[in-house]
């Protein structure tokens, strides 16, 4: 439950296993405990290769947060996510 003001830093390590990586990354939050009222609070540019990228939203203060990675084309990519929160 993130229902107070947090500074957040999301980092990702991407490893392209096969194909060509073409992935968009969105960070969303919701102010309710259930339902589908998600809204965007951060995003990363299209990721086209193996490497690291970060999302640094101004603040996170919803009840829930989620990361959506959307790929197009043929690809197999593994991701490792690290999250740092500071109240």
């Amino acid at each position: 439950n993130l229902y107070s003001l947090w500074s957040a830093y999301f980092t990702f390590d991407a490893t392209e296993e096969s194909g060509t990586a073409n992935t968009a990354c969105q960070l969303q939050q919701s102010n309710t405990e259930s339902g589908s009222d998600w809204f965007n609070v951060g995003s990363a540019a299209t990721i086209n290769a193996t490497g690291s990228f970060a999302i640094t939203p101004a603040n996170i203060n919803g009840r829930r947060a989620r990361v959506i990675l959307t790929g197009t084309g043929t690809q197999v990519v593994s991701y490792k996510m690290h999250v740092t929160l500071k109240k």
Side-chain angles (χ1 to χ4, degrees):
N1 185 339
L2 300 171
Y3 203 58
S4 59
L5 192 59
W6 294 83
S7 296
Y9 187 68
F10 293 76
T11 57
F12 301 83
D13 297 322
T15 303
E16 185 177 299
E17 307 292 339
S18 66
T20 302
N22 186 19
T23 309
C25 182
Q26 293 180 346
L27 173 63
Q28 296 182 335
Q29 72 177 19
S30 173
N31 291 323
T32 61
E33 291 184 24
S34 63
S36 59
D37 65 333
W38 296 96
F39 57 95
N40 292 333
V41 293
S43 63
T46 302
I47 302 106
N48 293 315
T50 297
S52 298
F53 61 97
I55 299 176
T56 308
N59 291 298
I60 296 287
N61 63 350
R63 297 199 54 112
R64 301 179 290 161
R66 70 180 180 183
V67 173
I68 299 175
L69 295 162
T70 306
T72 59
T74 58
Q75 60 187 352
V76 176
V77 182
S78 62
Y79 297 93
K80 185 185 296 183
M81 180 176 77
H82 307 275
V83 179
T84 304
L85 298 170
K86 182 178 178 184
K87 195 162 186 164

